[in-house]
Amino acid sequence: MDEHEREIPAEKKSLNNSTAEAPILVFSTTDPLGNTVQLKTSTWNMHVLDGDHYRPEFIGQEEVIKRVIEDPQFIIPDVKENRQRYYGLVHLTTNNKIKPVKVVVDHSTSPSDICTVFSMSKMTETGERGITYARK
């Protein structure tokens, strides 16, 4: 290894492994519409906790995100084809705040994959693209 290369920790190597093996999952669950939805470890680490954005409020909050998929308040079509936004009002124990959370799910594969997760300061969704599901 030369001076410009960085050693990749063993646990990160497994996340970037491009073999045909099944992905390592944080969880797999079913939404109210009967879709199987999974959260890959690589997505959790690189699109939720770190990577594109640093979101420390989600550290240790995997079960909270799973509950948003299982029992969302709303499911709204996303602007991107085959994606939906799952909304829930949750208590994030890492910062002890109650926040609206948006979980973006890609349904172009089976099982469906969580793409990313956002905590929001306020709900800005208008429902102009329709409402796929509303909790009763």
Side-chain angles (χ1 to χ4, degrees), residues 67-95:
R67 283 192 304 273
V68 170
I69 297 298
E70 294 171 343
D71 189 26
Q73 287 164 311
F74 294 99
I75 301 175
I76 309 284
D78 190 66
V79 294
K80 292 186 179 178
E81 189 177 349
N82 297 316
R83 289 187 179 189
Q84 291 183 313
R85 300 173 179 185
Y86 292 61
Y87 288 97
L89 187 63
V90 303
H91 177 226
L92 297 172
T93 57
T94 50
N95 59 12

Side-chain angles (χ1 to χ4, degrees), residues 36-102:
T36 300
V37 178
Q38 65 185 15
L39 174 57
K40 296 176 185 173
T41 301
S42 58
T43 302
W44 182 250
N45 291 333
M46 298 308 297
H47 294 284
V48 177
L49 297 182
D50 206 353
D52 298 341
H53 305 281
Y54 181 58
R55 299 183 187 116
E57 67 270 26
F58 290 120
I59 294 172
Q61 302 298 300
E62 296 90 334
E63 284 299 315
V64 171
I65 304 309
K66 184 177 179 183
R67 283 192 304 273
V68 170
I69 297 298
E70 294 171 343
D71 189 26
Q73 287 164 311
F74 294 99
I75 301 175
I76 309 284
D78 190 66
V79 294
K80 292 186 179 178
E81 189 177 349
N82 297 316
R83 289 187 179 189
Q84 291 183 313
R85 300 173 179 185
Y86 292 61
Y87 288 97
L89 187 63
V90 303
H91 177 226
L92 297 172
T93 57
T94 50
N95 59 12
N96 198 27
K97 292 190 177 182
I98 297 172
K99 304 276 267 182
V101 168
K102 172 173 62 175

Side-chain angles (χ1 to χ4, degrees), residues 102-116:
K102 172 173 62 175
V103 182
V104 181
V105 177
D106 183 353
H107 293 289
S108 66
T109 61
S110 183
S112 301
D113 287 317
I114 293 175
C115 302
T116 194

